[in-house]
Amino acid sequence: MNETENLDDIAIDCHKLIASQQTLLLSTATANSTPDISYAPFVQDQAGCFYIFVSELASHTANLLLNPQASVMFIRPESESHNLFARERAVFGCKVKEIAHDDEIYTIQLQALSAKFGEVVSLLRSLSDFHLFALHPENGRYVVGFGRAYIIDMNNGSVRPVNSKT
């Protein structure tokens, strides 16, 4: 970090990157621990938890049911990046929990998904193979460019340089 960088501004930029996205990149592991990457539309709650509504036809759904851990990434589009070797990105290690249909959160988050993505969510909701998952970030890293990596504090969304001792 150079002397003129403001960590509050960097944290705001991280939040803006996430807010600018409609989908997240999702990394899961198969039953035999083979990495598997995909994507899913998402909503985020006030506490920073990501919610995805996914089909059993997608391999990531079975992976999440077997191994309730995932990594998610938000990355600046290539067309908006000055250097493709140093794209702005935020990556989170997440604990995953399936949300039951009778849980109040299920209804709240499906309403949030409907508000963000429209009528398609109502159609998907009528299909029996869809599952709602909560992805609770346990750790995070925000990279702005070469030599500019930050740890994201999961309690308050602040950032500190990766090489910081605090």
Side-chain angles (χ1 to χ4, degrees), residues 66-79:
L66 286 171
N67 180 9
Q69 294 180 298
S71 182
V72 300
M73 181 168 71
F74 303 91
I75 188 165
R76 178 75 50 208
E78 290 179 4
S79 62

Side-chain angles (χ1 to χ4, degrees), residues 26 38-41 52-65 124 127-133:
L26 179 66
S38 58
Y39 83 98
I52 60 173
F53 194 51
V54 291
S55 169
E56 289 174 8
L57 297 175
S59 60
H60 53 240
T61 303
N63 296 344
L64 293 171
L65 291 168
L124 299 177
L127 304 174
S128 62
D129 70 315
F130 272 75
H131 299 257
L132 180 67
F133 290 99

Side-chain angles (χ1 to χ4, degrees), residues 135-163:
L135 289 70
H136 299 272
E138 295 185 306
N139 58 68
R141 184 174 284 213
Y142 178 55
V143 178
V144 186
F146 290 116
R148 296 185 60 212
Y150 303 88
I151 302 295
I152 303 167
D153 185 314
M154 295 296 96
N155 295 317
N156 61 22
S158 67
V159 298
R160 70 177 191 280
V162 167
N163 58 1

Side-chain angles (χ1 to χ4, degrees), residues 8-65:
D8 290 337
D9 290 342
I10 292 168
I12 290 168
D13 289 344
C14 179
H15 295 293
K16 284 181 181 176
L17 174 66
I18 295 166
S20 74
Q21 308 292 302
Q22 295 194 67
T23 61
L24 52 75
L25 297 175
L26 179 66
S27 178
T28 59
T30 65
N32 65 358
S33 299
T34 302
D36 190 18
I37 191 163
S38 58
Y39 83 98
F42 78 97
V43 292
Q44 186 177 26
D45 67 13
Q46 294 287 78
C49 184
F50 306 108
Y51 293 87
I52 60 173
F53 194 51
V54 291
S55 169
E56 289 174 8
L57 297 175
S59 60
H60 53 240
T61 303
N63 296 344
L64 293 171
L65 291 168

Side-chain angles (χ1 to χ4, degrees), residues 64-126:
L64 293 171
L65 291 168
L66 286 171
N67 180 9
Q69 294 180 298
S71 182
V72 300
M73 181 168 71
F74 303 91
I75 188 165
R76 178 75 50 208
E78 290 179 4
S79 62
E80 297 174 17
S81 298
H82 300 295
N83 187 324
L84 296 183
F85 287 93
R87 287 168 66 190
E88 177 188 6
R89 60 202 176 272
V91 178
F92 298 92
C94 299
K95 177 179 64 177
V96 179
K97 179 183 177 194
E98 182 179 11
I99 306 299
H101 290 239
D102 60 352
D103 191 315
E104 181 182 356
I105 294 171
Y106 185 90
T107 301
I108 292 168
Q109 295 309 323
L110 282 184
Q111 288 172 344
L113 284 159
S114 290
K116 187 172 181 178
F117 299 106
E119 281 300 309
V120 68
V121 177
S122 294
L123 170 65
L124 299 177
R125 194 173 183 172
S126 71

